[in-house]
């Protein structure tokens, strides 16, 4: 059995193994070195957030049983995509894949904030009143499906090695759980780490109820895109202990931290003032 067949046959166990392992480490770390006290009970949030993960996993399996790795293998067999048509050493192809797919995730994340319709879906991720390891995995099923389609398009254009796709998926899942964790890192270590990876303090800024802060630090994995595209913000104005997490006006735990409320969240209310074409300020000329 070659490596690609092995990855395809074991994709679920590889990803589930890393997910459970890293989830466990971060959950224990949060108990011993928390960054902030939690507002809501773990029981309510964890039940809802983890149920959403299970639901999303089932939906993805039903819609796309071969998943991203299956498409990468098909692209390789058919010689689709850039990397299947130019000679690049394997290791370099893996690095290119991780960097390019991460850039796409960054751009997609900016788009989910900028386009009012997409923001409705993405606000499920932001509406969590607390910020911990389970926040990193809570996304509305429609956002998960859209993300998967964007990933498929990227794979078709890029033609990445199958092994690079599974590495990227495991890495993104792991860093997302790490940087959403409610853990306290020594500040000096955070400063060094955030040169190469998005840290919890860096991404927490993105979950602030303050709009200027929430429109910063879009990176999930590599921290460089925010610096390159000038969306980087070092720290929250109010400090990590005092900053408020969530979306202004969405304070009811039954709505934002209960599964039924979370699933309905994209469909309620008017589009907030948050998105790019809904800001209320005007020029003094009335322009
Ligand atoms: Zn966001
Ligand atoms: Zn986040």
């Amino acid at each position: 059995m070659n490596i690609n067949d092995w990855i395809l046959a074991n994709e679920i166990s590889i990803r589930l193994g890393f997910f459970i392992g890293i989830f466990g480490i971060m959950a224990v770390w949060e108990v011993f070195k928390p960054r902030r006290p939690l507002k809501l009970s773990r029981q309510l949030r964890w039940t809802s957030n983890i149920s959403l993960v299970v639901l999303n996993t089932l939906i993805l399996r039903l819609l796309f049983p071969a998943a991203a790795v299956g498409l990468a293998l098909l692209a390789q067999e058919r010689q689709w995509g850039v990397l299947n048509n130019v000679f690049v050493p394997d290791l370099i192809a893996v690095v290119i894949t991780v960097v390019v797919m991460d850039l796409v995730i960054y751009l997609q994340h900016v788009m989910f904030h900028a386009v009012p319709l997409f923001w409705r879906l993405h606000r499920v991720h932001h509406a969590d009143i607390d910020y911990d390891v389970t926040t990193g995995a809570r996304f509305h099923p429609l956002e998960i499906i859209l993300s998967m389609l964007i990933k498929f398009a990227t794979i078709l254009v890029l033609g990445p090695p199958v092994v690079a796709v599974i590495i990227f998926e495991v890495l993104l899942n792991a860093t997302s759980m790490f940087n959403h964790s409610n853990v306290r890192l020594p500040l000096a270590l955070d400063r060094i780490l955030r040169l190469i990876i998005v840290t919890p303090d860096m991404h927490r800024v993105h979950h602030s109820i303050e709009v200027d802060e929430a429109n910063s630090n879009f990176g999930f994995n590599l921290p460089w895109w925010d610096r390159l595209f000038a969306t980087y913000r070092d720290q929250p104005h109010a400090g990590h202990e005092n900053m408020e997490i969530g979306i202004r006006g969405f304070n009811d735990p039954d709505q934002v931290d209960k599964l039924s409320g979370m699933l309905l969240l994209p469909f309620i209310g008017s589009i907030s003032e948050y998105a790019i074409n809904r800001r209320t300020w005007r020029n003094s000329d009335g322009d």
Side-chain angles (χ1 to χ4, degrees):
M1 187 186 263
N2 72 27
I3 176 90
N4 287 348
D5 294 337
W6 184 84
I7 291 171
L8 223 56
N10 294 287
E11 194 241 345
I12 296 178
S13 2
I14 297 169
R15 294 184 55 183
L16 194 65
F18 277 101
F19 172 76
I20 292 173
I22 293 159
F23 187 96
I25 292 169
M26 298 319 304
V28 172
W29 191 349
E30 284 182 345
V31 171
F32 287 101
K33 276 258 178 248
R35 184 68 158 120
R36 298 157 46 92
L38 296 178
K39 282 187 176 169
L40 301 178
S41 78
R42 267 207 188 83
Q43 199 192 352
L44 168 74
R45 289 183 50 257
W46 281 40
T47 310
S48 312
N49 291 354
I50 293 169
S51 304
L52 190 54
V53 175
V54 173
L55 178 67
N56 285 336
T57 310
L58 293 174
I59 291 173
L60 281 185
R61 284 290 144 192
L62 280 173
L63 286 179
F64 313 111
V69 287
L71 188 65
L73 188 63
L74 181 71
Q76 194 184 61
E77 284 166 1
R78 306 274 169 93
Q79 297 286 292
W80 292 336
V82 177
L83 293 174
N84 286 320
N85 286 284
V86 292
F87 176 76
V88 183
D90 290 350
L91 188 63
I92 305 288
V94 170
V95 173
I96 290 174
T97 302
V98 169
V99 172
V100 169
M101 289 182 81
D102 199 60
L103 172 61
V104 172
I105 294 275
Y106 167 88
L107 294 172
Q108 170 192 323
H109 191 183
V110 174
M111 179 186 79
F112 271 105
H113 277 252
V115 179
L117 189 66
F118 293 153
W119 166 247
R120 286 187 162 235
L121 303 177
H122 185 58
R123 66 185 178 187
V124 172
H125 180 62
H126 281 263
D128 201 345
I129 288 174
D130 280 320
Y131 184 86
D132 71 9
V133 60
T134 64
T135 311
R138 57 172 265 168
F139 292 92
H140 194 274
L142 291 173
E143 178 172 356
I144 289 284
I145 293 169
L146 262 171
S147 302
M148 192 49 108
L149 293 174
I150 293 170
K151 195 181 286 173
F152 284 172
T154 311
I155 289 171
L156 290 178
V157 173
L158 187 65
V162 175
V163 66
V165 173
I166 191 96
I167 288 174
F168 178 74
E169 302 229 80
V170 166
L171 201 63
L172 186 70
N173 187 235
T175 49
S176 184
M177 283 191 282
F178 168 68
N179 61 42
H180 285 88
S181 289
N182 182 33
V183 295
R184 182 183 293 275
L185 289 175
L187 294 181
L189 178 64
D190 176 274
R191 264 197 299 280
I192 297 166
L193 270 183
R194 70 164 77 181
L195 296 174
I196 48 165
I197 194 174
V198 175
T199 63
D201 276 10
M202 181 175 162
H203 191 72
R204 192 179 299 103
V205 176
H206 181 73
H207 281 259
S208 167
I209 64 161
E210 303 300 341
V211 173
D212 56 344
E213 294 177 342
N215 279 307
S216 305
N217 300 2
F218 293 96
F220 269 101
N221 187 13
L222 301 173
W224 311 321
W225 313 119
D226 283 298
R227 294 176 191 260
L228 190 66
F229 298 115
T231 49
Y232 178 68
R233 189 177 285 264
D234 198 24
Q235 306 293 340
H237 298 298
H240 288 282
E241 272 88 357
N242 296 322
M243 70 182 284
E244 269 192 68
I245 301 282
I247 306 173
R248 206 181 288 283
F250 290 83
N251 308 317
D252 177 5
D254 278 350
Q255 183 184 50
V256 298
D257 277 306
K258 211 168 157 186
L259 186 63
S260 51
M262 283 152 65
L263 288 172
L264 288 174
L265 207 55
F267 309 103
I268 54 147
S270 62
I271 291 176
S272 72
E273 294 169 351
Y274 175 88
I276 48 174
N277 69 338
R278 303 284 158 160
R279 294 196 178 133
T280 49
W281 45 259
R282 291 279 188 278
N283 268 344
S284 48
D285 318 344
D287 189 358

